[in-house]
Amino acid sequence: MTIHILMAVYNGGAALAEQLDSIAAQKDVAWHLFASDDGSSDNSRAVLDAFAEGHPVTRLDGPGQGGTANFLSLIAQAPEGWVAFCDHDDVWLPDKLARAQAALAGIEGPALYCARTWIVDADLQNRRLSAARPRPPGFANALVQNIASGNTTVLNPAGAALLRRHAAGAAGVEVHDWWAYLLITGAGGRVVHDDRPALLYRQHGANMIGANDTTRARLHRIRRLLAGDFADWNRRNIAALHSARADLTPQNAAVLDAFAELPRLPVHRRLAALRRLGLYRQGRMGQAALWLAALLGRM
């Protein structure tokens, strides 16, 4: 059961070799790397070409429209079978892929594996564990929060096929991993969140998203939520889910419709609907921010 690793690359030459070495060191699993370079101006392509001389690698040209579009392009082109998302600047632990495949073994419908990470600095030092996820994964969480960190995500063949089928309709989403979490849960699939870290998540000035594990980082995201960014992300996610509506469960399609109506409701009805739908974020601060966003009409 080969896992197709989808790596989006853009000017990652400084850290790329360490990530590639960690892929080569994966235990007890077969893999094939599909690396899509989005127009790098550094030595990324040379590093990939050198690695390809002794490993199963297919190098592709990205669409040149940013990281999310690059990942969506990779998803659309991925062969049938298992799929793992991969950033170009992390370092995987040796059992990452084998552990993910074991966690999803035997699940027939769409399924997604994700995990905690070791957050490290640019030199892979000063480890700290990413935030725990005390509440279970589900569509009611996915509508208002992403817990499926893309650099840890692995999809079983049914999950990968679901994403591939709807990749074109997701062109406007903010991030590919949140869309994956939404689509898998919306279709009634399984999400397995591993409390054990799966990789070293390198933090530097060019992170596409970055860790969200400090009070300062959480407050920054909450400010963005209250500034209206959250509402914009939601509109994009809703549009992508509407394009995949045929694969949503009837119950989740109804939840999606009610969620899409929230911004148009008066305050008292909006708050009542939020409670009725059971939407939730993982932490107390995040949950409080969700209620505040609903109160202020920032959803």
Side-chain angles (χ1 to χ4, degrees), residues 53-181:
E53 291 180 4
H55 301 91
V57 177
T58 298
R59 190 167 67 75
L60 306 168
D61 292 326
Q65 299 172 6
T68 296
N70 200 1
F71 270 112
L72 291 175
S73 175
L74 278 163
I75 292 166
Q77 298 178 74
E80 293 183 3
W82 291 77
V83 159
F85 297 156
C86 181
D87 291 350
H88 65 218
D89 50 3
D90 299 321
V91 172
W92 287 3
L93 299 183
D95 63 346
K96 177 191 185 297
L97 292 181
R99 202 188 328 152
Q101 207 162 48
L104 301 184
I107 301 176
E108 294 184 1
L112 180 154
Y113 167 93
C114 54
R116 296 175 79 177
T117 64
W118 286 114
I119 300 168
V120 296
D121 61 25
D123 298 317
L124 305 179
Q125 301 301 310
N126 299 311
R127 290 190 188 189
R128 62 186 190 272
L129 195 58
S130 65
R133 303 303 186 186
R135 307 186 70 176
F139 192 58
N141 177 224
L143 281 171
V144 294
Q145 182 184 25
N146 179 34
I147 68 165
S149 181
N151 53 2
T152 71
T153 293
V154 177
L155 297 146
N156 72 350
L162 178 65
L163 266 61
R164 190 183 312 111
R165 191 156 60 245
H166 296 293
V173 298
E174 180 72 11
V175 284
H176 65 288
D177 48 6
W178 192 0
W179 167 71
Y181 181 36

Side-chain angles (χ1 to χ4, degrees), residues 23-70:
I23 291 172
Q26 291 299 296
K27 298 177 179 178
D28 304 320
V29 66
W31 55 266
H32 187 113
L33 176 64
F34 292 80
S36 179
D37 186 87
D38 218 23
S40 294
S41 58
D42 67 355
N43 65 333
S44 292
R45 294 192 179 213
V47 173
L48 286 170
D49 288 343
F51 184 74
E53 291 180 4
H55 301 91
V57 177
T58 298
R59 190 167 67 75
L60 306 168
D61 292 326
Q65 299 172 6
T68 296
N70 200 1

Side-chain angles (χ1 to χ4, degrees), residues 10-12 15 87-90 120-123 201-211:
Y10 180 70
N11 287 342
D87 291 350
H88 65 218
D89 50 3
D90 299 321
V120 296
D121 61 25
D123 298 317
Y201 183 12
R202 192 193 303 261
Q203 301 297 294
H204 52 79
N207 286 100
M208 180 176 171
I209 298 294

Side-chain angles (χ1 to χ4, degrees), residues 214-235:
T214 65
T215 299
R216 181 179 179 182
R218 293 188 185 105
L219 288 173
H220 174 70
R221 293 203 181 187
I222 288 171
R223 282 196 295 270
R224 292 188 66 186
L225 181 153
L226 297 178
D229 290 1
F230 185 52
D232 179 54
W233 300 337
N234 284 339
R235 284 191 293 270

